[in-house]
């Protein structure tokens, strides 16, 4: 079973609490729907157009929250500039699936 969070078009510092709240809701719903099962939580960045380094903080926190609940985590369709930013900060390896 899998659950997906589609990131909004904009993630800046002011948007972080809202996006993390959405991810927590997705995580809680996935956990409630499949107790004891490994659920893949995927964050889809295909709609993301405007962002700053806060978007990386969001992704890393989503990953931490998923793993704390024993859930698998992956990201998909991240904008190339966000992937480059992750590489620049040295966290691109942390955003791999698993």
């Amino acid at each position: 079973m899998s659950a997906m969070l589609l990131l909004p078009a904009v993630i800046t510092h002011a948007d972080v609490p809202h996006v993390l709240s959405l991810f927590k809701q997705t995580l809680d719903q996935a956990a409630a729907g499949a107790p004891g099962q490994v659920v893949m939580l995927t964050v889809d960045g295909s709609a993301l157009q405007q962002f700053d380094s806060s978007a990386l903080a969001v992704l890393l926190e989503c990953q931490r929250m998923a793993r704390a609940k024993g859930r698998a985590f992956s990201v998909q369709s991240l904008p190339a500039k966000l992937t480059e930013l992750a590489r620049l900060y040295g966290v691109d390896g942390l955003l791999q699936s698993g």
Side-chain angles (χ1 to χ4, degrees), residues 18-77:
H18 175 69
V19 177
L20 288 178
S21 176
L22 290 175
F23 183 78
K24 185 177 183 320
Q25 289 175 15
T26 302
L27 180 62
D28 291 346
Q29 289 171 356
Q37 292 181 0
V38 173
V39 175
M40 172 63 74
L41 291 156
T42 302
V43 173
D44 183 335
S46 58
L48 191 57
Q49 297 174 2
Q50 182 182 343
F51 54 88
D52 59 20
S53 60
S54 298
L56 287 178
V58 164
L59 292 173
L60 293 170
E61 180 61 11
C62 288
Q63 181 187 56
R64 186 200 66 75
M65 290 167 57
R67 290 188 173 165
K69 296 272 189 182
R71 305 300 184 206
F73 177 84
S74 69
V75 293
Q76 70 180 29
S77 304

